[in-house]
């Protein structure tokens, strides 16, 4: 007997959770901000993170800065929503994006995660159980900083991508240079050195070299290339949004 729905909630709690979300959004009623993902307005975005970041989380769909930037890039600069059928892999799917991808992409959209049972397939990104050239597009955000052999994961993404396809592979850039030490496994020490107890490194801008070493051509796209300063403020694209690493596999 199934007691919980696909999101892991008791079905009887769904109306209650919706009511709580609605109540929590009341203080944010206003028009100063617009989320490009759910297209709803608010007075401002919620504070979020540790330490707290201002203008971070959409009160309606829960998106953070990096999700809104990725959505803006995908919508405005890629072929993902051009109506043609394409196979798309979304690793560690974020709830604010997953439903919208699924609605537009239908059966050609696949979600994958190592630990989360809500994903459609279980996947270790360093040992992907799909043939070469399986996917037209891959989206994987804030995963590789958790992966010990990130170079193997990048090589796997390159392997399963079709020639002419693209991957958006995002990580937090929090250092002048990438720092890692596989001997550090203590969560408290990882938190101190890498910023989170389950991170295995801090990436620097040299992250792009790892992607190129895996065989990708990489274009780095900044917020200013996608939105004016006023639009960036309105959409909550603060510096915490980071930048887009748009990786292509030449045909
Ligand atoms: Zn939103």
């Amino acid at each position: 007997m199934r007691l919980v729905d696909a999101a892991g909630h008791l079905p009887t709690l769904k109306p209650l959770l919706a009511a709580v979300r609605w109540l929590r959004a009341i203080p944010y009623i206003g028009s100063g901000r617009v989320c490009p993902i759910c297209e709803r307005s608010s007075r401002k975005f919620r504070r979020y993170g540790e330490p707290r970041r201002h203008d971070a989380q959409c009160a309606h769909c829960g998106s953070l800065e990096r999700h809104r930037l990725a959505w803006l890039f995908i919508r405005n600069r890629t072929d993902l929503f051009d109506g043609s059928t394409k196979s798309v892999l979304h690793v560690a799917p974020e709830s604010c994006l997953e439903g919208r991808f699924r609605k537009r992409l239908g059966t050609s959209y696949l979600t994958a995660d190592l630990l989360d049972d809500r994903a459609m397939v279980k996947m270790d990104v360093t040992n992907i159980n799909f043939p070469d050239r399986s996917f037209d597009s891959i989206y994987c955000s804030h995963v590789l900083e958790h992966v010990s052999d990130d170079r193997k994961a990048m090589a796997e993404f390159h392997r399963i991508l079709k020639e002419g396809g693209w991957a958006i592979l995002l990580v937090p850039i929090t250092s002048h240079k990438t720092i890692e030490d596989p001997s550090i496994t203590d969560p408290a020490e990882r938190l101190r050195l890498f910023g989170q107890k389950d991170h295995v490194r801090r990436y620097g801008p040299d992250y792009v070299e790892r992607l190129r070493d895996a065989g990708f051509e990489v274009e780095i796209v900044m917020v200013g290339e996608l939105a004016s300063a006023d639009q960036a403020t309105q959409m909550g694209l603060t510096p915490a949004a980071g930048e887009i690493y748009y990786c292509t596999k030449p045909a």
Side-chain angles (χ1 to χ4, degrees):
M1 184 171 66
R2 188 176 177 84
L3 293 175
V4 296
D5 65 10
H9 300 133
L10 288 165
T12 50
L13 291 181
K14 283 179 96 172
L16 182 63
L17 290 170
V20 169
R21 269 198 301 275
W22 183 80
L23 285 168
R24 289 188 69 210
I26 287 176
Y28 297 90
I29 291 173
S31 59
R33 302 288 184 267
V34 177
C35 172
I37 298 177
C38 67
E39 299 181 341
R40 296 181 69 179
S41 300
S42 41
R43 184 170 59 83
K44 61 178 180 178
F45 293 105
R46 280 198 189 105
R47 299 200 318 157
Y48 185 89
E50 201 56 56
R52 286 278 187 266
R53 306 189 303 273
H54 289 279
D55 252 343
Q57 186 179 48
C58 175
H60 305 290
C61 72
S63 69
L64 298 175
E65 306 94 324
R66 64 177 184 269
H67 305 137
R68 296 191 290 273
L69 180 63
W71 178 264
L72 195 64
F73 179 81
I74 288 169
R75 193 189 66 188
N76 294 358
R77 293 286 186 89
T78 76
D79 59 0
L80 197 67
F81 302 140
D82 67 3
S84 65
T85 300
K86 49 180 78 68
S87 52
V88 179
L89 174 65
H90 186 177
V91 180
E94 304 91 332
S95 59
C96 62
L97 296 173
E98 181 182 356
R100 290 168 176 86
F101 282 147
R102 193 189 302 274
K103 187 176 175 185
R104 286 169 171 78
L105 301 170
T107 55
S108 61
Y109 172 65
L110 185 76
T111 60
D113 199 289
L114 180 61
L115 302 171
D116 191 340
D117 290 336
R118 289 173 292 180
M120 296 158 74
V121 298
K122 186 180 180 73
M123 179 180 287
D124 173 356
V125 292
T126 65
N127 185 21
I128 297 177
N129 193 23
F130 279 91
D132 298 356
R133 297 181 286 279
S134 290
F135 295 94
D136 295 289
S137 305
I138 300 169
Y139 176 70
C140 176
S141 176
H142 287 227
V143 170
L144 294 171
E145 68 274 20
H146 300 265
V147 177
S148 296
D149 193 350
D150 63 335
R151 289 181 182 275
K152 180 77 192 311
M154 293 173 197
E156 282 289 84
F157 287 141
H158 186 269
R159 181 183 67 77
I160 62 169
L161 193 64
K162 296 178 187 175
E163 277 87 2
W166 55 262
I168 295 175
L169 306 176
L170 307 181
V171 298
I173 304 295
T174 57
S175 178
H176 293 298
K177 192 174 187 311
T178 298
I179 53 168
E180 58 190 333
D181 182 347
S183 70
I184 296 171
T185 56
D186 176 48
E189 196 61 0
R190 282 179 169 174
L191 174 66
R192 188 178 74 81
L193 290 170
F194 307 137
Q196 203 167 300
K197 63 184 179 183
D198 56 350
H199 283 185
V200 297
R201 70 182 64 77
R202 280 187 187 274
Y203 282 110
D206 54 309
Y207 167 62
V208 68
E209 299 306 326
R210 295 192 184 207
L211 294 168
R212 287 175 177 147
D213 288 347
F216 289 112
E217 290 187 358
V218 185
E219 182 186 357
I220 303 172
V221 181
M222 314 299 284
V223 170
E225 297 172 61
L226 297 168
S228 69
D230 286 346
Q231 289 170 330
T233 299
Q234 189 181 47
M235 291 187 278
L237 301 176
T238 66
E243 52 282 312
I244 298 294
Y245 288 81
Y246 181 64
C247 309
T248 51
K249 182 173 178 176

